[in-house]
Amino acid sequence: MWRSWVSFLLLLTVIALFIVADCGSIGVNYGRVADNLPSATKVVALLKSQGLNRVKVYDTDPAVLHALSGSGIKVTVDLPNQQLFAAAKMPSFADSWVQRNVAAYYPHTQIEAIAVGNEVFVDPHNTTKFLVPAMKNIHEALVKLKLHSEIKVSSPIALSALQNSYPSSAGSFRPELIEPVFKPMLEFLRKTGSFLMVNAYPFFAYESNTDVISLDYALFRENPGVVDPGNGLRYFSLFDAQIDAVFAAMSALKYDDIEMVVTETGWPSKGDENEVGASVENAAAYNGNLVRRILTGGGTPLRPKADLTVYLFALFNEDKKVGPTSERNYGLFYPNREKVYDIPLTEQRLKENRGKRTPVARGGSRSGNTWCVANGGAEKEKLQAGLDYACGEGGADCHAIQPGSTCYNPNTIEAHASFAFNSYYQKKGRQMGSCYFGGAAYVVTQPPKYGHCEFPTGY
């Protein structure tokens, strides 16, 4: 196939769309607002059996930190909101807290971060003004003990800290929080080499906007995507859109060099009648597809090279949590350590499950299969560039569309591109975003028809 200079430049553009970063990391939140949970020792054994090597806890319970000692599991601990005032006003309190709750266990317990407070801006006790001073004093306590290089200090924010979250390119923080909190906090994170902690729940956005947000978009399932009118980027998941809204808000304040850790995200397996979308199937789809999305590499549309560490919420269903039914049903496991649903949580499990139909898989056709075809309305140059990429660096099997082969006819760029796009899509395991080609392709749920050519559904 020939290539003009123009199509070569387009090819380079398309190749850029497929550059994949290193893989991200998955952790889990170990909440304990319950009266029926297994011992901390049994919990650590459960974490290890699932291959989970990161855990976040909401306090510094000695039994938990002792149980994690020598486990090789990296730990994020929390200084509760009710202690922010003391940590902010009394450096001696911060020193004592770090010595007693961190240094006493490190390094045998691999504490890697301290979350100072949790979603402080929505705390009814109005502790916002103490947040940054508390973070600074906790960090200074780590400096005195020479632990500041190994243990980072941050604070999880809820998405309600944003004034605007849609479109993602218009993401901005609430004006009243910018000068007193976000600017000094982001400056602190930059100076200390730390990261912003963010709690993101697409479930809440979907539940409140089912008329405009598709369930497939919320659950990382195949969908045509949503184009951000501000920057032209196409989003295939609500999660990515929410994360990029925070990145955009940071960038607006000139702090686009700071990394992010998603300290909470999840989907409930059960809810009240008015909690639309809360079900075992949807929880398995969200968490399972999220794990696959993070562990197979790649960042967000706005930051494609930003590997994310994501903590699922939560390890267990917690029966003493107040609020709607969903609050007590975010767990991956029941208190007896049985799985609420079965999803891969590690790269190895993903590889073992490749090609198998799991609780998170879903196709639009009766057989569950999907195919990738060319968009007949796309420019020929874009189709050609995508075709060249798929058959070249993309590794698609394009032998069937060579002259004299079974799928050469009809000899049109749309038919050939469709075959190549689909081959690439199937070889990539039908991963979300692998059927895009700069907008020149889309997913269908019925077998494509181009002459007598048969399109494969898997390799």
Side-chain angles (χ1 to χ4, degrees), residues 16-72:
L17 295 170
F18 295 91
I19 294 176
V20 178
D22 293 332
C23 299
S25 175
I26 292 292
V28 67
N29 284 277
Y30 172 24
R32 304 195 323 279
V33 187
D35 60 5
N36 55 0
L37 298 183
S39 68
T41 302
K42 291 180 178 178
V43 170
V44 171
L46 176 64
L47 293 171
K48 294 178 72 174
S49 74
Q50 299 303 308
L52 290 165
N53 58 13
R54 274 196 162 97
V55 68
K56 178 173 162 286
V57 294
Y58 291 89
D59 52 22
T60 52
D61 184 85
V64 173
L65 295 182
H66 277 302
L68 286 162
S69 178
S71 66

Side-chain angles (χ1 to χ4, degrees), residues 397-411 416 419 450-454:
D397 184 356
C398 297
H399 291 97
I401 55 175
Q402 300 304 312
S405 296
T406 54
C407 292
Y408 180 71
N409 290 315
N411 182 18
H416 286 187
F419 188 91
Y450 290 97
H452 298 290
C453 184
E454 292 187 6

Side-chain angles (χ1 to χ4, degrees), residues 40 62 115 117 130 167 186 214 218 223 247 266 301 383 443:
F130 306 121
L186 293 170
S214 80
N223 64 89
F247 276 137
L383 290 174
V443 173

